[in-house]
Amino acid sequence: VQLQASGGGLVQAGGSLRLSCAASGRFVTIESMRWYRQAPGQQRELVAAITRGGITNHADSVKGRFTISGDNAKSTVYLQMNSLKPEDTAVYSCNADIMASVHIPPYTYWGQGTLVTVSS
């Protein structure tokens, strides 16, 4: 099982970006997926999460600006980021709780990070 994150880049303050995180390989179900971010010198922060049933949660710092969504058919989660601020600059990473087999409990897989830079 692999997670592939994409969509980062350089954007001006007030702009938008959409990140994607796609799961590939052999697995039974994806129970939940999450986006984290880590800015230089800071701890990793949970940005948003979504369950297989579509229940979402967003960090207070991004509520009203970021939206997490999922496409079960594509095994992909998205993070739509609007009204970006310089303080949103960070490496964004995704992870997912994936059941690789009905005989094995879900395991947390991580994708690589994608850099988001917001200029003022």
Side-chain angles (χ1 to χ4, degrees):
V1 177
Q2 289 187 329
L3 294 179
Q4 180 71 42
S6 61
L10 174 63
V11 64
Q12 288 188 332
S16 298
L17 281 174
R18 189 177 81 154
L19 305 182
S20 300
C21 177
S24 62
R26 297 185 66 178
F27 53 87
V28 178
T29 63
I30 300 174
E31 297 298 314
S32 59
M33 298 185 82
R34 291 167 289 274
W35 283 102
Y36 288 83
R37 68 183 180 185
Q38 187 167 22
Q42 297 189 18
Q43 289 188 332
R44 186 168 60 199
E45 173 190 20
L46 176 61
V47 177
I50 186 168
T51 68
R52 182 160 58 106
I55 298 173
T56 62
N57 279 292
H58 298 79
D60 289 342
S61 58
V62 305
K63 278 182 180 176
R65 300 187 300 120
F66 292 11
T67 303
I68 190 170
S69 62
D71 186 332
N72 289 336
K74 295 182 179 179
S75 300
T76 299
V77 65
Y78 305 98
L79 185 68
Q80 178 66 44
M81 305 186 296
N82 299 327
S83 303
L84 282 160
K85 305 175 181 179
E87 52 263 43
D88 294 318
T89 295
V91 174
Y92 286 71
S93 303
C94 60
N95 80 8
D97 297 328
I98 297 176
M99 184 177 290
S101 165
V102 296
H103 305 294
I104 303 174
Y107 180 81
T108 300
Y109 294 85
W110 282 88
Q112 88 290 1
T114 184
L115 178 62
V116 172
T117 303
V118 184
S119 63
S120 57

